[in-house]
Amino acid sequence: MDHKAVQQKWQKAWEDEKIFEVKESKTKNKFYVLEMYPYPSGSGLHMGHAKNYTLGDASARFKRMQGYNVLYPMGYDSFGLPAENAAIKDNTHPRAYTEKSIANFIRQQKELGLSYDWSRTLASHRPDYYRWDQWIFLELYKKGLAYKKTAIVNWCSTCQTVLANEQVVNGACWRHEDTPIDNKELNQWFIKITAYADQLLSGLEKLDWPEDIKQMQKNWIGKSNGVDIHFALEGIDTLLPAYTTRCDTIYSVTFLCIAPEHPLAIELSKGTSHEAEVRQAIEQSRKQSLIERTTETGQDKIGAFTGKYAINPVNGERLPIYVANFVLMYGTGIVMADAHDQRDFEFARKYNIPLKFVISDDGSPINPEKASCAFLSDGVLFDSGDWTGMHNRQALPEMAEWIEKNGWGKQTVNYKLRDWLISRQRYWGCPIPMVYCDSCGIVSVPEKELPVLLPEDVTFGSGNPLATNRNFVETSCPSCKKPARRETDTMDTFMDSSWYFLRYCDPHNDKKPFAKAKVDYWLPIDHYIGGKEHATGHLIYSRFITKFLKDLGMHSIDEPAKRLFNQGMLHKDGVVMSKSKGHYVLPEEVSEKYGIDTARFYLFFVAGPEKDMEWSDQGIEGAFRFMKKFTEFLPETFTSKTDPKEESVRNKTIRDVTSYYESSTFNKALIELASFTDFLRNKGSFSKKSAETLILLMSPITPHISEELWEKIGKKPFCSLAKWPTFDETKIKPELEAEDDFAEKVRQDMLTLNTLIKFKPKSHTLIISAAWKYDFYKKLKEELAKTRDMKTLITSCMVKGHESEIAPLVAAVLKDPSRLPDFILSQATEKKALNTLLPKLEKEFDSHITITFAEQSQDKKAANAMPGKVAIVAHE
RNA sequence: GCGGGGGUGGCAGAGUGGUCAAAUGCGCAAGGUUGAGGGCCUUGUUCCUUAGUGGAUGCGCGAGUUCGAACCUCGUCCCCCGCACCA
């Protein structure tokens, strides 16, 4: 078969006939398959990408054939820094660079035979898409969920822009692991994702997502229950709230700590003799890079006394207030400190602050002077007023109630999740539709003026590129019409990707982002394929925006993706395939040599799709050998009758392969299909039905060859749209298959047995058989009964779940010597059980015989060579 | 430290209480075919023993449960991946 010609023929036919284009249907059930839309890099696709897309394609094709109305679109995450940098480097415009890259991507993807509905393709850098980014931003702004504030933010000096928390990895930029994040104080746009923290957390439970991803999101959201305890500032009428999850240790508090970033840190010390020290401590901890501050290596405690005291509301004790570097601006930015926390303990030791314990294993006091470390475990409270003697975990919720009731504090829930910083000081992104007016302040661009177009003409190199285009910057205030300035920052591209899957449902709508009915029909995504690296980024943002748009009444969907699938990475030379690092295989090359279907087959065959796998040139040779068999499996003519065995294998193959496809375990499906192919080829002549079945079952993986063969057997195109074969369970007869000659063997075994048994017609015979050979066991018993009195038969079938029956049986035999068997009939499979039994039995009588049936032997040749197929071993 | 996932034959990778010396593919070996040692087909591929049967060892390591464990329980070692001074 000429792979190249076949591929081109069918790819063209699919495209000409637009067979993968879909629309909403009242009668068909929908199925939405999606791969995370790619960033269209200029270097194009390698085999690793191909693996990802064919994974979605196989699912889409499978579901389509099962009769679902399958939405399977593709688009491009085409804004972003890499395009800007690449364009600067090649001295071209990011738009030209991006459009070219997209065209190249599409060409390559079509060559993979992917069954996308190309009529829905979108790209986030195009105004017809990003105008709705701006629209969503304005909706967020209207609802108070988009706001501008000055804050200490993450700055990457290589990217020359700020980053969201989600884009900081180990204290460094997600794109530059060697560029530590700088802390800068800037005025930036934030999205209030924290307003949805609780929903984002509880929504996880319903999702059919990998456990580790759910866990990562849980940790990222980081919900904790605690109490804000109000400590009065001594001498001043101010309350300092300190967040704690351990209010059971309130009696052990000996000082308070405040984060260096906290506005009060400096304020408190002002005018005291400690001001200089405090300033120095703040300065020092600021100098510590985020890496030092959050990793084990740089956990030196730095701090200073502010000169002020607070009052413990519970017992009126005076507590010195310290600035401490280990306290983060989380919760209230103030913590109460005691001997039941290792960090507090270390800090106290360093600055000679007294400590107090209130929990010990048995409630007996601990001398703080002698303690060498904090007491972190749970135990019994002491020196804790009325709570003394109680177990701390039991006391904790009650104490929280008690504190709140007395007005000393308030029970609070805290999250680690922070608001999403979306401002970027770069050009190639969606403009933030805001205007700064000297008289009106921050004014939003009216909806009818959207989109705020990204200007073509900017100068790169010094600061924010958009600021270099005066025509863009200089505008008039939408409110008072006086001269005003446009926002020159662009949006984080994660904003673009947080709703693109909704736009696919209605990609050409120019009145609104999408029609509600269409989204309600297609969503949620039934099978979302993408990498783990998006666990705490895109996958949280998109859930958030989906929920927000639902609250706006835009659609009725709770969660964007019902099932998430993390594909494994394709490796080359032991490392993840990557063009920039030079470890890659190109789909074109493989396609040229073996045909793309071979590559698709190989990618699915080696391992489960969720596993990382190594590309192997020998491996693809093996796949090619199979593909050759497959392309040549059709006989000259088909048999008119189907024989039961063939039907059995065919139905079983449909059943198993369908269930493997259903669970995306393609590797096992392909093993079944390979063995079905071998079965048919060995058989030589078979029915047309079997041929059809094989072609159809293969077609999600090898669509081009399947189409070709489908045509060859006289079927109308397209097999891609043909009905998925169904199976009839009643036609599946295992005994006809692998064990098809089993019955015959058993019969012969019986004859041999009969002769054997005739020698001692009055002795007992013990039969042990296993449940999965129940039919065999029954037959054996019947046969023996013909030659022997039933009383002389002692039998047992180890039914599953009743395996231990064999023990009482043996016990019964041993108890009654008259029932001692002189034959033990068994099968090879029970030899392990027998091995444990034989020694027991051997003690009781002189000899016995074990008979093993040869059909259990793996070696068919040996079995056939054996007359009677029974082997006898006599034990002395 | 916390959380999640793993350790199976020369390699990749199935198998999660008995049809298991362990699917399938690669590799390796032998035989067949063909003017080659390339392609294809067949068989074999832990060790000992056999004409065939059989036995021993064996799924990271150690113990346990069971008539029976790659699979269950406990302990232990190692690897990967997240989070990490979050009070």
Side-chain angles (χ1 to χ4, degrees):
Chain A
M1 195 181 276
D2 179 352
H3 293 288
K4 216 171 160 183
V6 167
Q7 275 161 226
Q8 283 170 354
K9 170 180 168 189
W10 292 106
Q11 281 167 14
K12 183 166 185 303
W14 293 332
E15 195 163 348
D16 289 349
E17 301 289 325
K18 301 183 189 307
I19 65 168
F20 302 127
E21 293 187 10
V22 287
K23 51 175 187 274
E24 299 75 36
S25 155
K26 287 204 175 78
T27 51
K28 279 170 112 182
N29 286 327
K30 66 91 188 183
F31 198 87
Y32 189 175
V33 182
L34 189 63
E35 294 120 25
M36 289 178 186
Y37 77 156
Y39 161 71
S41 126
S43 48
L45 301 177
H46 57 62
M47 213 28 123
H49 301 110
K51 179 177 190 276
N52 190 19
Y53 302 133
T54 43
L55 179 55
D57 185 55
S59 303
R61 287 176 176 276
F62 168 59
K63 283 290 162 187
R64 200 178 284 127
M65 291 171 76
Q66 277 192 323
Y68 287 90
N69 194 22
V70 173
L71 176 60
Y72 182 48
M74 174 46 58
Y76 302 92
D77 188 11
S78 44
F79 266 143
L81 203 44
E84 188 170 334
N85 290 338
I88 294 169
K89 200 171 140 229
D90 299 349
N91 199 23
T92 145
H93 192 275
R95 183 183 320 280
Y97 171 88
T98 300
E99 289 293 352
K100 202 175 135 196
S101 302
I102 289 177
N104 188 40
F105 255 61
I106 292 177
R107 180 187 58 79
Q108 282 193 300
Q109 286 176 319
K110 285 187 175 169
E111 282 172 8
L112 293 173
L114 305 173
S115 59
Y116 295 127
D117 177 351
W118 288 107
S119 72
R120 293 172 184 264
T121 303
L122 56 83
S124 44
H125 77 286
R126 294 182 186 146
D128 64 348
Y129 182 83
Y130 72 70
R131 72 178 285 190
W132 303 115
D133 282 341
Q134 294 173 343
W135 183 90
I136 292 170
F137 178 87
L138 291 179
E139 291 300 317
L140 286 162
Y141 184 69
K142 276 190 221 164
K143 292 278 185 284
L145 294 173
Y147 63 94
K148 202 167 191 199
K149 81 165 179 195
T150 301
I152 292 171
V153 296
N154 312 303
W155 174 268
C156 173
S157 52
T158 308
C159 294
Q160 285 290 304
T161 184
V162 297
L163 301 171
N165 290 321
E166 287 76 9
Q167 291 163 327
V168 177
V169 179
N170 290 329
C173 171
W174 62 321
R175 289 204 165 101
H176 308 100
E177 53 182 317
D178 50 353
T179 308
I181 291 303
D182 294 330
N183 294 329
K184 274 201 178 184
E185 193 164 357
L186 290 170
N187 194 242
Q188 301 279 296
W189 285 100
F190 287 84
I191 305 287
K192 205 166 185 175
I193 190 171
T194 50
Y196 282 75
D198 219 23
Q199 283 191 53
L200 289 170
L201 183 66
S202 60
L204 283 172
E205 282 170 31
K206 296 177 291 205
L207 298 179
D208 179 16
W209 284 18
E211 270 317 306
D212 55 340
I213 300 286
K214 291 211 255 185
Q215 195 60 45
M216 278 158 81
Q217 292 209 352
K218 246 181 238 173
N219 294 341
W220 191 259
I221 296 165
K223 182 177 180 172
S224 67
N225 294 302
V227 184
D228 279 342
I229 296 177
H230 304 313
F231 292 87
L233 196 53
E234 192 184 53
I236 307 166
D237 188 20
T238 306
L239 289 175
L240 295 179
Y243 177 71
T244 181
T245 55
R246 291 292 306 278
C247 65
D248 54 325
T249 62
I250 182 74
Y251 281 95
S252 67
V253 177
T254 49
F255 59 108
L256 294 189
C257 291
I258 183 164
E261 297 90 342
H262 200 292
L264 272 178
I266 274 286
E267 214 53 47
L268 285 174
S269 64
K270 267 192 186 151
T272 73
S273 56
H274 301 276
E275 189 176 340
E277 270 175 63
V278 168
R279 279 190 189 280
Q280 202 199 341
I282 292 173
E283 204 43 48
Q284 246 182 304
S285 49
R286 237 187 225 181
K287 266 192 211 147
Q288 283 187 304
S289 73
L290 212 77
I291 295 183
E292 279 175 303
R293 217 166 138 191
T294 53
T295 53
E296 282 173 54
T297 46
Q299 293 190 2
D300 288 340
K301 302 287 174 287
I302 299 168
F305 178 44
T306 59
K308 294 279 164 53
Y309 289 86
I311 304 300
N312 187 338
V314 173
N315 56 12
E317 284 180 16
R318 260 182 117 216
L319 310 169
I321 304 170
Y322 283 77
V323 168
N325 68 332
F326 68 89
V327 181
L328 307 176
M329 268 312 289
Y330 163 79
T332 60
I334 301 171
V335 300
M336 57 187 220
D338 55 51
H340 294 287
D341 182 289
Q342 190 57 31
R343 294 153 302 178
D344 298 351
F345 187 93
E346 284 169 23
F347 189 84
R349 283 290 187 252
K350 179 165 175 186
Y351 292 96
N352 288 318
I353 310 166
L355 284 167
K356 248 190 338 188
F357 287 89
V358 290
I359 301 169
S360 65
D361 289 328
D362 54 0
S364 56
I366 297 173
N367 184 346
E369 318 266 292
K370 289 182 186 156
S372 61
C373 64
F375 185 90
L376 301 172
S377 21
D378 292 326
V380 178
L381 289 163
F382 59 90
D383 293 344
S384 297
D386 292 345
W387 307 97
T388 298
M390 210 181 216
H391 190 271
N392 72 307
R393 283 292 151 188
Q394 190 198 342
L396 192 126
E398 295 178 34
M399 289 177 80
E401 284 291 328
W402 168 70
I403 288 166
E404 187 166 279
K405 215 177 277 169
N406 283 285
W408 298 327
K410 195 172 179 326
Q411 299 194 56
T412 327
V413 176
N414 246 306
Y415 298 91
K416 281 199 236 179
L417 184 72
R418 312 295 173 83
D419 279 344
W420 175 15
L421 195 173
I422 60 147
S423 305
R424 295 292 179 274
Q425 291 70 47
R426 297 299 301 229
Y427 166 68
W428 196 233
C430 172
I432 296 173
M434 286 292 174
V435 169
Y436 301 98
C437 170
D438 286 338
S439 17
C440 308
I442 299 176
V443 185
S444 56
V445 174
E447 197 183 318
K448 59 177 184 301
E449 284 177 28
L450 297 185
V452 175
L453 284 172
L454 185 70
E456 287 286 310
D457 187 19
V458 294
T459 311
F460 295 107
S462 56
N464 193 332
L466 273 185
T468 65
N469 183 315
R470 286 183 57 190
N471 282 337
F472 175 78
V473 177
E474 290 170 8
T475 184
S476 58
C477 172
S479 169
C480 68
K481 308 299 174 203
K482 278 190 234 162
R485 289 168 297 108
R486 280 195 195 281
E487 168 68 64
T488 55
D489 283 354
T490 51
M491 288 185 214
D492 182 2
T493 57
F494 277 114
M495 191 75 187
D496 312 337
S497 59
S498 64
W499 69 283
Y500 75 104
F501 43 88
L502 303 173
R503 180 72 177 173
Y504 280 138
C505 301
D506 195 7
H508 307 298
N509 196 328
D510 58 0
K511 301 282 182 297
K512 44 188 175 176
F514 46 80
K516 181 168 190 288
K518 293 187 176 183
V519 165
D520 285 353
Y521 175 75
W522 290 113
L523 270 281
I525 303 164
D526 296 282
H527 195 171
Y528 196 25
I529 298 163
K532 272 189 168 47
E533 68 275 17
H534 291 107
T536 54
H538 164 65
L539 288 170
I540 287 189
Y541 298 139
S542 56
R543 293 182 59 221
F544 159 58
I545 292 295
T546 302
K547 286 173 186 296
F548 168 70
L549 292 174
K550 184 196 175 196
D551 290 349
L552 272 190
M554 297 289 293
H555 62 69
S556 333
I557 307 301
D558 275 325
E559 289 284 346
K562 204 160 60 185
R563 180 175 174 221
L564 176 70
F565 192 92
N566 294 127
Q567 85 281 10
M569 292 291 195
L570 187 58
H571 293 228
K572 173 93 199 311
D573 315 319
V575 295
V576 174
M577 214 176 257
S578 137
K579 281 214 171 170
S580 56
K581 300 210 174 87
H583 303 283
Y584 65 92
V585 176
L586 290 178
E588 293 92 315
E589 288 168 4
V590 178
S591 182
E592 184 71 29
K593 200 165 171 192
Y594 304 104
I596 197 63
D597 283 353
T598 301
R600 292 172 58 120
F601 180 90
Y602 170 71
L603 291 171
F604 284 115
F605 181 70
V606 175
E610 74 289 355
K611 290 213 167 179
D612 286 359
M613 61 176 268
E614 173 77 21
W615 178 267
S616 147
D617 291 334
Q618 275 121 8
I620 190 135
E621 286 282 353
F624 190 50
R625 270 199 284 280
F626 170 74
M627 288 312 292
K628 267 199 264 183
K629 287 188 200 172
F630 176 54
T631 51
E632 291 158 8
F633 89 101
L634 291 175
E636 294 293 313
T637 52
F638 294 109
T639 55
S640 50
K641 273 194 249 167
T642 53
D643 79 79
K645 187 177 157 193
E646 182 185 328
E647 269 303 276
S648 172
V649 177
R650 194 182 71 87
N651 280 282
K652 183 174 168 292
T653 304
I654 297 171
R655 183 190 65 189
D656 295 349
V657 168
T658 305
S659 105
Y660 286 140
Y661 276 161
E662 207 74 67
S663 59
S664 300
T665 37
F666 296 105
N667 51 331
K668 282 183 249 172
L670 290 182
I671 288 166
E672 289 288 321
L673 287 166
S675 80
F676 185 44
T677 310
D678 280 341
F679 170 79
L680 293 179
R681 289 177 78 243
N682 292 337
K683 204 161 175 294
S685 63
F686 46 87
S687 69
K688 193 169 178 184
K689 217 171 173 186
S690 290
E692 285 172 24
T693 301
L694 178 59
I695 293 167
L696 292 176
L697 294 182
M698 283 292 291
S699 75
I701 309 291
T702 61
H704 309 91
I705 295 173
S706 285
E707 289 285 10
E708 186 69 13
L709 295 177
W710 190 246
E711 190 183 58
K712 206 168 168 184
I713 60 170
K715 289 288 195 174
K716 284 251 161 13
F718 294 91
C719 99
S720 299
L721 299 180
K723 199 170 161 291
W724 192 252
T726 52
F727 64 93
D728 179 353
E729 188 77 48
T730 62
K731 289 197 174 151
I732 300 174
K733 301 197 168 96
E735 69 274 16
L736 291 175
E737 293 178 37
E739 299 175 302
D740 57 346
D741 50 0
F742 179 67
E744 173 60 19
K745 279 185 188 165
V746 168
R747 214 177 56 78
Q748 288 185 21
D749 287 342
M750 289 310 110
L751 295 173
T752 318
L753 265 177
N754 284 341
T755 6
L756 270 170
I757 286 161
K758 273 171 197 154
F759 287 109
K760 288 187 177 180
K762 280 177 191 164
S763 56
H764 296 290
T765 306
L766 173 61
I767 308 173
I768 303 165
S769 184
W772 60 92
K773 292 287 187 194
Y774 185 70
D775 290 342
F776 174 83
Y777 162 78
K778 266 200 320 203
K779 262 183 219 166
L780 180 57
K781 206 169 149 185
E782 276 166 29
E783 289 292 332
L784 283 174
K786 286 179 194 164
T787 56
R788 310 194 57 144
D789 182 352
M790 281 306 281
K791 283 182 202 159
T792 67
L793 287 175
I794 309 166
T795 65
S796 170
C797 181
M798 292 187 287
V799 180
K800 229 177 191 170
H802 298 275
E803 288 89 346
S804 51
E805 273 181 12
I806 197 164
L809 180 78
V810 170
V813 167
L814 291 178
K815 244 184 226 161
D816 181 3
S818 70
R819 298 184 70 190
L820 277 180
D822 39 24
F823 281 111
I824 299 173
L825 301 184
S826 159
Q827 300 160 67
T829 47
E830 283 83 55
K831 69 183 177 215
K832 280 185 186 169
L834 272 183
N835 286 341
T836 55
L837 280 177
L838 286 178
K840 294 182 193 172
L841 293 169
E842 272 169 357
K843 281 181 200 154
E844 303 299 328
F845 56 99
D846 296 332
S847 70
H848 60 268
I849 297 173
T850 304
I851 297 179
T852 304
F853 295 100
E855 87 280 349
Q856 290 298 325
S857 164
Q858 297 294 310
D859 188 348
K860 282 179 192 158
K861 231 182 186 176
N864 289 331
M866 232 175 341
K869 294 167 195 138
V870 178
I872 305 142
V873 178
H875 295 258
E876 300 299 323

